[in-house]
Amino acid sequence: MLKYDDFMKLALNEAKKCSRKKEIPVGAIIVDEFQNIISKGYNKVEEKNNPLYHAEKIAIDKALLKTNKRYLDNCDIWVTLQPCEMCMGMIKQVRIKRLYYGASIPHCGFKNKINNRVCSEIYSGIREDECSKLIKDFFKKIRSD
């Protein structure tokens, strides 16, 4: 059985797929109550030329299709970067039980206002150094090009 740390490692593997596509490297996975991975996603904003194609949205869409359910209330989501306001809204709408994320976005003022109303449980800082490094390295590379 996978451990919690392993789920974030899998989300990081999804995020690393972005580097070949010049996408901001964010990955997400959704796990059911039996700790089965039911979907994965990574940012495809540039690929789809659509600002809505965040890793969370892609993973949620796949999970809804796979489960053929309207809600994912028996699921947890693992994301390498603190979800944006749009993604937090989606997480709330599909009733995901727990949110786990790696790197935080320090300037996100909505974090404390929204988080407590989105999921019953929210955990941050999982593999935070790795998640932060991935994002920082991406922007460093973009600035140098």
Side-chain angles (χ1 to χ4, degrees), residues 3-143:
K3 296 178 184 174
Y4 287 120
D5 198 51
D6 295 330
F7 291 128
M8 188 58 77
K9 185 176 182 179
L10 294 172
L12 275 160
N13 289 341
E14 286 299 300
K16 289 173 184 173
K17 294 176 183 178
C18 296
S19 63
R20 297 183 295 262
K21 301 176 186 225
K22 295 188 179 179
E23 298 278 357
I24 296 174
V26 178
I29 64 166
I30 296 180
V31 178
D32 69 13
E33 73 267 32
F34 305 109
Q35 296 189 343
N36 297 311
I37 296 166
I38 59 171
S39 68
K40 300 175 184 180
Y42 59 90
N43 276 359
K44 292 186 178 181
V45 171
E46 299 299 325
E47 179 183 325
K48 301 286 187 182
N49 196 29
N50 185 325
L52 303 178
Y53 276 81
H54 290 201
E56 300 93 328
K57 178 202 180 321
I58 292 165
I60 288 169
D61 286 347
K62 288 178 181 179
L64 291 170
L65 280 171
K66 186 171 183 175
T67 61
N68 198 30
K69 292 183 178 181
R70 182 176 180 172
Y71 300 112
L72 301 171
D73 51 351
N74 63 338
C75 296
D76 300 336
I77 189 166
W78 296 77
V79 189
T80 56
L81 182 65
Q82 177 186 338
C84 69
E85 198 164 356
M86 175 187 75
C87 292
M88 291 297 274
M90 284 187 279
I91 290 166
K92 179 180 180 176
Q93 289 300 314
V94 298
R95 301 180 184 171
I96 286 177
K97 189 172 184 175
R98 285 179 286 265
L99 163 64
Y100 299 86
Y101 66 88
S104 295
I105 304 172
H107 59 276
C108 252
F110 71 89
K111 176 184 171 187
N112 294 330
K113 295 177 200 166
I114 294 177
N115 279 356
N116 295 334
R117 291 177 278 167
V118 174
C119 300
S120 57
E121 297 174 46
I122 297 174
Y123 303 94
S124 61
I126 298 108
R127 289 186 173 247
E128 184 173 14
D129 291 342
E130 286 175 78
C131 294
S132 293
K133 183 175 178 354
L134 194 61
I135 295 286
K136 289 175 184 174
D137 289 351
F138 170 79
F139 283 109
K140 199 179 291 181
K141 184 177 183 217
I142 292 292
R143 289 182 193 115

